[in-house]
């Protein structure tokens, strides 16, 4: 009975920590419903357990360019969630100097990289800077909010879907390697255009 009581107490402590960790992971997600002048962005994170390796989000490249991404770290639980949290820091729209999508120029300004360059840079960092067997899949879209043009990278992730205004469904992307598996992997960019009323969905 004593051993059972100690195990129960330990389990309750771990469970409380995981519940709090889940709340912290939810805080990594940007504003879940963003209304734009010519569109709308909605984000939802629902892990199978208290925490997990899924990470959806977005940030602005510029006033007219929006970055939208979906990440799924391999495995489940705490280790996957920790890597997802680190990636959230690399995708923050608050600080361009910490965001992997921006490159600082000699004059102090920043330029944004293409989705293929971003995927390659994340692949290089994961393999060289983090000693882990984890990898992740990625769908990353650079959307021109003025023209509707989309530049998309799909790195081992489920194919993004466009739902058009008439109810049609179109899948985009050419597959590609997951991030953190093959050193020097290259990633292809798929281009397409969103029409008025279309909805682009990235998911895990």
């Amino acid at each position: 009975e004593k051993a059972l009581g100690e195990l129960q107490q330990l389990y309750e402590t771990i469970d409380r920590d995981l519940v709090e960790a889940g709340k912290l992971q939810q805080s990594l997600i940007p504003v879940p419903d963003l209304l734009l002048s010519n569109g709308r962005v909605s984000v939802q994170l629902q892990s199978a357990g208290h925490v997990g390796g899924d990470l959806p989000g977005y940030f602005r490249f510029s006033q007219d360019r929006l970055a939208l991404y979906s990440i799924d770290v391999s495995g489940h639980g705490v280790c996957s969630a920790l890597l997802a949290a680190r990636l959230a820091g690399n995708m923050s729209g608050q600080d361009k100097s910490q965001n992997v999508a921006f490159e600082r120029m000699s004059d102090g300004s920043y330029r944004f990289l293409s989705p293929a360059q971003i995927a390659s840079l994340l692949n290089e960092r994961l393999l060289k800077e983090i000693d882990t067997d984890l990898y992740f899949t990625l769908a990353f879209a650079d959307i021109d909010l003025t023209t509707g043009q989309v530049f998309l990278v799909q790195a081992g992730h489920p194919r993004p879907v466009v739902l058009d205004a008439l109810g049609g469904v179109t899948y985009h992307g050419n597959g590609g390697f997951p991030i953190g598996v093959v050193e020097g992997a290259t990633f292809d960019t798929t281009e397409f255009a969103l029409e008025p009323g279309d909805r682009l969905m990235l998911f895990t």
Side-chain angles (χ1 to χ4, degrees), residues 11-139:
Y11 173 81
E12 290 174 356
T13 300
I14 293 174
D15 191 62
R16 282 196 300 271
D17 286 346
L18 287 174
V19 169
E20 292 303 312
K23 294 177 183 178
L24 290 173
Q25 188 170 38
Q26 286 289 341
S27 73
L28 299 174
I29 308 303
V31 177
D33 196 20
L34 175 67
L35 187 61
L36 305 170
S37 60
N38 52 357
R40 182 176 184 173
V41 182
S42 296
V43 181
Q44 182 179 10
L45 173 63
Q46 186 172 346
S47 299
H50 291 304
V51 293
D54 295 317
L55 179 67
Y58 62 87
F59 58 87
R60 285 185 179 273
F61 279 128
S62 65
Q63 186 63 29
D64 297 325
R65 300 288 283 274
L66 180 73
L68 184 66
Y69 61 86
S70 175
I71 290 171
D72 187 0
V73 180
S74 62
H76 302 281
V78 175
C79 291
S80 299
L82 285 173
L83 180 54
R86 176 162 181 169
L87 293 169
N90 289 330
M91 296 287 195
S92 171
Q94 303 299 319
D95 187 354
K96 291 181 179 180
S97 66
Q98 299 297 317
N99 191 320
V100 69
F102 292 92
E103 180 181 44
R104 186 179 176 90
M105 309 300 288
S106 58
D107 63 358
S109 63
Y110 288 89
R111 76 177 185 96
F112 51 84
L113 304 178
S114 70
Q117 290 174 313
I118 294 166
S120 294
L121 188 53
L122 286 170
N123 188 67
E124 179 182 346
R125 287 188 178 184
L126 184 59
L127 288 170
K128 292 184 177 180
E129 297 179 8
I130 306 177
D131 184 16
T132 179
D133 292 329
L134 296 175
Y135 63 90
F136 63 92
T137 64
L138 167 72

